[in-house]
Amino acid sequence: MRIAVVGAYGAGKTTLITAATAHTGLPAAHGTPMRDPAGSRPKPLEEATEPELVQLVVRRHAERLLAEAAHPEGFLSDGSLLHEWVYATVRLAVGLHPGTDQGPQIVMADPDSPYRSVLDHLGREFLHRALASYDVFVHLPVEFPLHDDPPPIAEHFRTLSDRLLLDTLHTAGAPVHTATGPLENRLATLLTLTPAYVP
């Protein structure tokens, strides 16, 4: 069983996967932090330029592919092959700290930006791979506020990221199950999707 646990930054993906691996025996597949673009000085992710951001998205995508390929019998993926693309797309469109007074909107960067076109095409390829890589997606909605002080991203950024991720998966017809509530409830939802699990 190949399960991708998806959701916005801080939604609880790693916490759920840590609990689920102990119950299912499925190994966890993690990406690596998106930082330190090649050919550049080490820098925080929020300082990466647009071309560096694209470079980091491609690198993290490749590393996640390798991490998941190491477990051909099944795994729990902390995120998915779409996650870095979602992050970069939203950041290019609205920045890390968009105004919280903004209403719902379509995530769309400057139409004249060459990086938007690059990310659009990468997104198509990443979605194609994601649909072939996972049997099911378990979505964790944004239910809890970030506790970082200061928060690394705005709540509106999280909301837009979550919307773009879900809209992309639903449009593609991907099987998405939502797990809500405290950890015990989320874990119970995930376990119903693993036939090998015996309570």
Side-chain angles (χ1 to χ4, degrees):
M1 192 73 176
R2 303 167 301 168
I3 301 175
V5 178
V6 301
Y9 179 91
K13 299 184 293 295
T14 302
T15 300
L16 177 58
I17 284 178
T18 300
T21 54
H23 286 80
T24 65
L26 289 170
H30 299 276
T32 57
M34 273 180 56
R35 61 171 179 250
D36 299 347
S40 171
R41 64 172 176 80
K43 64 177 68 176
L45 180 58
E46 58 268 21
E47 293 181 11
T49 64
E50 291 172 335
E52 287 173 340
L53 190 63
V54 172
Q55 179 198 96
L56 290 170
V57 167
V58 172
R59 179 199 295 171
R60 180 91 182 259
H61 181 82
E63 290 172 347
R64 192 186 291 276
L65 279 172
L66 291 174
E68 294 175 355
H71 306 291
E73 300 303 316
F75 54 80
L76 292 163
S77 186
D78 188 348
S80 76
L81 293 168
L82 288 172
H83 267 66
E84 289 70 44
W85 169 78
V86 166
Y87 171 88
T89 300
V90 176
R91 177 167 159 191
L92 191 61
V94 300
L96 280 172
H97 297 280
T100 55
D101 58 343
Q102 297 183 47
Q105 66 187 71
I106 298 173
V107 176
M108 184 172 294
D110 179 358
D112 296 325
S113 169
Y115 302 106
R116 173 190 168 188
S117 179
V118 169
L119 281 174
D120 284 349
H121 283 79
L122 284 177
R124 295 171 199 171
E125 177 64 22
F126 292 177
L127 176 61
H128 173 75
R129 291 186 182 185
L131 295 176
S133 295
Y134 309 117
D135 299 305
V136 68
F137 295 83
V138 176
H139 172 244
L140 307 184
V142 175
E143 295 184 287
F144 315 109
L146 294 174
H147 296 294
D148 310 63
D149 188 23
I153 59 175
E155 288 295 334
H156 191 59
F157 187 102
R158 296 174 78 202
T159 300
L160 290 174
S161 299
D162 207 43
R163 182 179 299 126
L164 176 59
L165 175 66
L166 281 180
D167 286 351
T168 301
L169 291 174
H170 287 152
T171 299
V176 180
H177 298 263
T178 300
T180 61
L183 177 60
E184 295 77 12
N185 293 13
R186 294 177 168 199
L187 181 59
T189 298
L190 189 150
L191 292 178
T192 63
L193 304 172
T194 56
Y197 172 68
V198 179

